[in-house]
Amino acid sequence: MKTDFKGETAIVVGATGAFGQSIVERLLNRGLKVVAVARSEASLQTLSETHEDVIPCVADISDDSSIDAIRAVLDGAVPNSTVRAVVHGPGVGVAGGILEAPTATMVDAVNIKVGGLLRLSRAADGFLTEGSRLISIGGHYGLEPTAYAASAGVANAALFNVSRQLSLAYGDRGVTAHVIAPGPADTERLRNVAVARAEMRGCSVDEVLDDMKAESSISAFTTPGQVAWAVDMLIDPEATAMTGSTLMLDSGRRRGLP
């Protein structure tokens, strides 16, 4: 039987995106209140109107001001609640291939992924307890570098390292850190990556998408629902044994070992 976390809270950064919305719904089904963090007030309002236990928090995770913004919502809306799960899933800009990627976009991607995770964990720190989870959404290209997904590859590779460091730093408190690394998912962001790759190759976007799907051993993209399932699994008590690890959801794309 699944543990019911009623009375506790989760924080989801990137809550209004394709992955974020699926994750929010899954966490709500576990009895958690969800502090939904995003830059768009309008999108957050729509999400909170749809789900009673969603608490909107307008913040830009790429800026240090987000620490106080998130902490203020926690202090005001759920002051005595334990934060059971911190889920960091913001999107980053598509920089194109490594030979022509703007350096500013590359730096921004690392700031959002790595700096954002640190800001989020610091905002939530006073609400974490034994069994709390720091969960980041990384990506396949952080472990399987390509010449066409520069920002995703670099930012996610750095994220894996920082998450491992957090698992070590928080270990004495019983707080664990995890990364979920999906393969390409059929979302708007993937299509933006496909556009950049199509321009490099001089072919159509549909050809690129077909080739990307063929990279999977099961000829499939990962779905937002599968990512949400992984988050759901990681908040179970048994998942403490996975601290510091990266959970591959790449639909059979990774060729390396382990």
Side-chain angles (χ1 to χ4, degrees):
M1 180 180 293
K2 288 281 190 180
T3 303
D4 187 340
F5 295 108
K6 191 172 182 61
E8 298 186 56
T9 301
I11 310 170
V12 179
V13 171
T16 59
F19 286 171
Q21 292 184 59
S22 291
I23 292 167
V24 167
E25 289 188 15
R26 196 95 183 198
L27 293 174
L28 290 171
N29 288 338
R30 296 295 296 273
L32 290 158
K33 291 182 180 295
V34 176
V35 173
V37 181
R39 290 178 298 179
S40 170
E41 184 174 2
S43 297
L44 284 172
Q45 182 176 351
T46 299
L47 187 65
S48 62
E49 288 174 350
T50 305
H51 301 289
E52 180 180 356
D53 286 331
V54 168
I55 303 162
C57 176
V58 179
D60 181 354
I61 203 66
S62 71
D63 190 272
D64 285 351
S65 62
S66 61
I67 299 173
D68 288 338
I70 295 169
R71 190 180 291 149
V73 170
L74 292 171
D75 285 336
V78 287
N80 299 313
S81 178
T82 293
V83 169
R84 177 59 50 184
V86 168
V87 184
H88 183 54
V92 299
V94 177
I98 193 64
L99 296 180
E100 70 279 348
T103 55
T105 305
M106 301 284 286
V107 171
D108 286 345
V110 175
N111 178 38
I112 291 168
K113 286 280 189 174
V114 174
L117 175 59
L118 295 178
R119 295 178 186 106
L120 180 57
S121 62
R122 290 169 188 178
D125 186 84
F127 295 83
L128 301 176
T129 190
E130 184 173 359
S132 293
R133 305 282 187 251
L134 305 177
I135 302 171
S136 305
I137 311 301
H140 169 68
Y141 294 127
L143 294 168
E144 293 282 344
T146 72
Y148 58 81
S151 59
V154 170
N156 285 321
L159 183 67
F160 299 143
N161 187 289
V162 169
S163 181
R164 178 67 63 86
Q165 291 189 51
L166 287 172
S167 75
L168 298 171
Y170 274 108
D172 288 346
R173 292 171 56 182
V175 175
T176 63
H178 312 262
V179 181
I180 297 168
D186 194 3
T187 62
E188 181 180 355
R189 189 184 180 287
L190 175 73
R191 293 182 179 275
N192 290 337
V193 171
V195 167
R197 189 175 178 186
E199 290 175 354
M200 287 181 62
R201 290 174 46 185
C203 64
S204 72
V205 174
D206 285 341
E207 286 180 90
V208 171
L209 290 171
D210 287 342
D211 287 347
M212 292 174 79
K213 187 175 286 188
E215 292 170 358
S216 159
S217 63
I218 56 174
S219 298
F221 290 126
T222 304
T223 69
Q226 289 169 329
V227 175
W229 162 80
V231 172
D232 190 348
M233 178 184 66
L234 286 174
I235 65 175
D236 286 334
E238 294 84 353
T240 55
M242 299 174 69
T243 188
S245 66
T246 296
L247 181 61
M248 300 301 298
L249 264 65
D250 59 356
S251 299
R253 282 177 170 77
R254 181 161 165 76
R255 298 293 185 262
L257 297 174

